[in-house]
Amino acid sequence: MDLDLVIGYNLTKELKEFFKINNVNRLYVITDTIVSQLYMKYIDGVIKNWDYNTYIIPSGEESKNMDTVFSIYNDLLDSNIDRNTYILAFGGGVVGDIAGFVASTYKRGLKYVQIPTTLLSQIDSSIGGKVGVDYGGYKNIIGSFYFPEKVFIDTYFLTTLPKREITSGLGEVFKYGLIYDYELFQYTKDNLDKIYEMDLNVLNIIIKKSVSIKEKIVSQDKKDFGLRRILNFGHTIGHSIEAYYGFNRYNHGEAVILGILYESYIAKNLGLIDRNYFNEIHDILLPLVKPIKFQGNEIYDLLEIMENDKKNILEEITMVLPIDKGRVKIFNNIDKDLIINSLKGEWF
Ligand SMILES: NC(=O)c1ccc[n+]([C@@H]2O[C@H](COP(=O)([O-])OP(=O)(O)OC[C@H]3O[C@@H](n4cnc5c(N)ncnc54)[C@H](O)[C@@H]3O)[C@@H](O)[C@H]2O)c1
């Protein structure tokens, strides 16, 4: 299915229009504690003419598990939710992934729409149909591909985001630039202050460009067997760092920024990119998230997490590495000494 999405500021009219056109009678809103505190009154105003229920989960990654899913199933049963009800995923990536998973499984599938409210969810997690939860210490290990009927990307919600959440979204924006569109990397770099000042014109441009890159890549490889894997640049090492700290020291995009830094150093040492390009990446990303000089056992723990990564074949470590400005390639069986060398952080 092609992704239907709209990007703009204050999309209340578009939202009401969508529910009317699709003869939606009933809605089931899934949101989190922070988003509901900030915006539930606003959404209540938009959907007041519809019959609706609201389910509020505690904010944060700790909620992204099957317990939350079972609680929502129970509430769906208690509320007599039928297959004509639309689920509204209203929040960041955690809410979107859970709500999408519930929508994909309850009564063999309910229709759902996404209203992503973080920069990361607007440019990444709401696009591409991946839904799911964490299980057994593994991130996103239970899930499916299930596309929303429509995604409403409304920059109205971004002004309340804490600075760290902007940085998190920027991690993925820089990644898109480095894997696909060097101009986006440069534009983001040149407008960093404006982004943190919440200049909506600039945000609008980077969101549109990012979404269109993700859409282009996903449309060629919906189920993640080929081209889509380039989206994992920065994620092999980034994910290992995120997991090593129990998913509570770095948020997703911050970990991706670290991953891009360590992995770009590996690319430089392999001779895939020159020193100037590495320095350019380094100079812009290093001030955003401070890397760590890992030592001894820390490095072996990180390697073990990388070896167990669900993206690998056997225990070979696979990485997406930059080969030129705005271009990357997938490499299998990366030499562990190169990884160890990079994790030691002698390059900063
Ligand atoms: N499905 C995918 O393709 C995909 C891709 C990337 C990431 N993800 C997943 O997305 C999740 C991360 O998403 P996220 O970064 O949006 O995290 P999140 O949903 O935890 O949101 C981050 C924080 O911001 C708060 N928040 C949300 N909107 C806000 C607003 N407008 N103003 C102020 N605070 C707000 C949330 O309550 C939370 O505390 C991870 O679980 C990751 O695995 C999924």
Side-chain angles (χ1 to χ4, degrees):
M1 149 178 200
D2 287 330
L3 192 58
D4 190 1
L5 65 84
V6 51
I7 303 173
Y9 180 80
N10 199 354
L11 298 170
T12 53
K13 224 174 67 204
E14 288 79 356
L15 206 56
K16 287 188 210 169
E17 207 47 42
F18 173 85
F19 294 141
K20 275 188 201 141
I21 291 169
N22 288 285
N23 296 319
V24 178
N25 294 319
R26 201 164 172 198
L27 292 163
Y28 187 90
V29 183
I30 301 178
T31 187
D32 75 17
T33 38
I34 291 181
V35 177
S36 71
Q37 217 166 30
L38 290 167
Y39 295 111
M40 209 52 223
K41 267 203 192 115
Y42 175 84
I43 283 292
D44 284 342
V46 178
I47 57 179
K48 63 175 186 276
N49 293 333
W50 280 266
D51 182 9
Y52 69 94
N53 297 62
T54 305
Y55 193 96
I56 302 172
I57 62 171
S59 142
E61 187 72 27
E62 303 76 49
S63 285
K64 212 173 120 178
N65 55 47
M66 286 307 289
D67 291 342
T68 305
V69 170
F70 288 132
S71 307
I72 299 174
Y73 288 157
N74 285 332
D75 192 60
L76 291 168
L77 281 170
D78 291 345
S79 314
N80 292 319
I81 296 300
D82 61 27
R83 294 199 71 232
N84 294 321
T85 304
Y86 272 60
I87 303 256
L88 210 98
F90 181 45
V94 166
V95 164
D97 282 8
I98 296 172
F101 183 70
V102 166
S104 79
T105 45
Y106 191 74
K107 295 197 174 177
R108 297 203 177 86
L110 303 184
K111 290 181 173 165
Y112 80 115
V113 298
Q114 293 256 23
I115 309 180
T117 60
T118 60
L119 182 58
L120 183 124
S121 57
Q122 297 198 342
I123 54 122
D124 188 2
S125 61
S126 65
I127 321 291
K130 280 189 181 175
V131 296
V133 294
D134 308 334
Y135 184 71
Y138 292 96
K139 259 193 94 162
N140 304 322
I141 198 85
I142 298 181
S144 60
F145 290 92
Y146 194 63
F147 284 83
E149 298 299 305
K150 188 150 182 157
V151 185
F152 294 86
I153 298 177
D154 194 337
T155 51
Y156 174 79
F157 300 114
L158 297 180
T159 50
T160 49
L161 277 184
K163 191 172 174 218
R164 274 189 73 185
E165 298 303 334
I166 304 288
T167 304
S168 181
L170 283 178
E172 297 288 359
V173 175
F174 280 122
K175 180 198 76 181
Y176 290 134
L178 293 170
I179 66 171
Y180 206 84
D181 180 358
Y182 180 65
E183 270 179 31
L184 172 61
F185 178 77
Q186 277 189 314
Y187 180 82
T188 310
K189 175 177 96 174
D190 294 343
N191 287 282
L192 215 47
D193 290 344
K194 288 189 180 159
I195 293 168
Y196 281 108
E197 285 158 15
M198 286 291 146
D199 180 322
L200 290 176
N201 289 329
V202 173
L203 280 166
N204 211 36
I205 290 170
I206 65 163
I207 292 170
K208 279 196 172 135
K209 279 184 181 254
S210 299
V211 165
S212 113
I213 291 170
K214 181 144 186 196
E215 268 194 301
K216 266 188 216 139
I217 293 173
V218 169
S219 67
Q220 292 173 62
D221 176 25
K222 290 205 176 66
K223 294 269 164 99
D224 207 3
F225 289 116
L227 179 69
R228 194 169 175 162
R229 291 165 64 211
I230 68 168
L231 291 167
N232 290 326
F233 175 42
H235 284 61
T236 304
I237 293 187
H239 175 261
S240 73
I241 295 173
E242 216 181 345
Y244 180 74
Y245 290 109
F247 300 101
N248 53 35
R249 175 160 172 177
Y250 297 105
N251 59 35
H252 183 70
E254 288 173 331
V256 170
I257 289 176
L258 291 178
I260 292 175
L261 282 165
Y262 291 105
E263 291 177 16
S264 297
Y265 183 72
I266 294 172
K268 183 189 77 75
N269 279 359
L270 279 169
L272 301 171
I273 57 171
D274 63 21
R275 176 173 288 280
N276 289 342
Y277 189 38
F278 171 70
N279 287 344
E280 190 184 347
I281 297 171
H282 175 280
D283 291 351
I284 185 68
L285 296 188
L286 197 93
L288 298 183
V289 190
K290 198 172 176 305
I292 296 167
K293 293 185 193 294
F294 291 104
Q295 305 171 3
N297 285 343
E298 291 173 332
I299 293 180
Y300 292 101
D301 290 346
L302 287 165
L303 279 173
E304 202 180 319
I305 300 171
M306 285 179 229
E307 282 164 356
N308 291 328
D309 194 313
K310 63 181 184 288
K311 298 186 284 292
N312 288 337
I313 302 161
L314 301 171
E315 284 192 349
E316 287 181 4
I317 297 175
T318 298
M319 261 182 213
V320 178
L321 295 175
I323 53 168
D324 199 353
K325 294 187 174 176
R327 282 187 61 216
V328 288
K329 225 174 118 180
I330 299 168
F331 292 86
N332 295 319
N333 205 6
I334 298 285
D335 182 349
K336 295 207 177 110
D337 287 338
L338 280 170
I339 304 177
I340 293 170
N341 197 15
S342 175
L343 289 172
K344 283 184 181 162
E346 276 153 17
W347 42 271
F348 67 89

